[in-house]
Amino acid sequence: MVTYTIIMKIKAPRESKAILTEIVMPNDTNNLNNLMGGRLLHWMDIAAAITAKRHSNQIVVTASVNNVSFGHPIPKGSIVTLEANISRAFSSSMEIFIDVWTEDKETSIKTKCNEAIYTFVAVDNNGKPIKVPSLKPESDLEKNRYDGALRRRQLSLILGGKMEAEDATELKALFK
């Protein structure tokens, strides 16, 4: 019998980054002529999926939308840039952080207006979870998001009934 060992390369977040740029068209807006939240969620899901795919080089599915913060309205005609970066890779899941920027039509100044955290899972052709490469954060922001990802994951597992609170070592450490 022959056995094979698959060696996965540790990746940096920059290797998987996705940038998506859109313009807010009339059919993207609500009655106040601002971008509909659902359209923004759709764009975020696409950007996050590209990042997860690039990191894992596998089929990926959205497991959860962990957090979405709508900072301020995005008016019709705005240029919107979404930057999706992987913040941490676990066994088969990946946390993706999306920053959303608008660009002023007259000054071209970019302003951060929204952010979100999505979780994706890499799966095989049968839909079964599959291992993903580890992540090595480089910048201070990447390191902070990487550290926070474990706490966010533990909290999510507790709320979902998949982990006991006393087993959440990272969360307990915050209160000692």
Side-chain angles (χ1 to χ4, degrees), residues 10-174:
I10 297 173
K11 292 185 171 182
R14 64 182 154 69
E15 296 178 69
S16 307
K17 182 176 187 167
I19 298 174
L20 177 69
T21 303
E22 297 281 347
I23 188 164
V24 179
M25 302 300 286
N27 64 327
D28 299 324
T29 62
N30 59 24
N31 292 337
L32 297 173
N33 284 319
N34 292 318
L35 178 64
M36 288 185 288
R39 176 70 79 200
L40 182 57
L41 289 169
H42 175 76
W43 291 344
M44 286 191 258
D45 195 45
I46 291 169
I50 293 168
T51 295
K53 166 68 173 138
R54 285 179 175 166
H55 181 77
S56 67
N57 202 31
Q58 301 293 334
I59 299 166
V60 295
V61 294
T62 309
S64 65
V65 178
N66 305 6
N67 179 62
V68 178
S69 299
F70 295 102
H72 63 75
I74 301 173
K76 177 176 69 178
S78 296
I79 295 172
V80 180
T81 302
L82 298 91
E83 295 180 11
N85 286 285
I86 182 166
S87 48
R88 189 144 184 177
F90 296 97
S91 179
S92 60
S93 66
M94 297 156 282
E95 183 187 85
I96 311 297
F97 210 106
I98 305 109
D99 295 301
V100 181
W101 305 82
T102 57
E103 191 174 320
D104 185 274
K105 294 178 249 184
E106 295 162 13
T107 65
S108 296
I109 294 173
K110 290 186 178 180
T111 304
K112 184 173 176 182
C113 60
N114 303 84
E115 64 184 27
I117 302 170
Y118 280 56
T119 299
F120 277 77
V121 174
V123 296
D124 63 18
N125 289 327
N126 297 316
K128 301 292 183 201
I130 189 169
K131 192 161 177 53
V132 300
S134 296
L135 185 75
K136 181 171 180 21
E138 297 173 324
S139 72
D140 288 342
L141 177 61
E142 291 168 354
K143 290 173 185 173
N144 286 338
R145 288 181 174 176
Y146 179 90
D147 291 341
L150 183 55
R151 291 186 292 274
R152 289 186 291 274
R153 182 172 191 253
Q154 287 183 350
L155 180 59
S156 179
L157 290 171
I158 291 168
L159 294 174
K162 297 177 182 177
M163 176 185 256
E164 296 298 323
E166 56 269 8
D167 296 331
T169 56
E170 287 296 310
L171 290 175
K172 285 196 299 189
L174 289 175

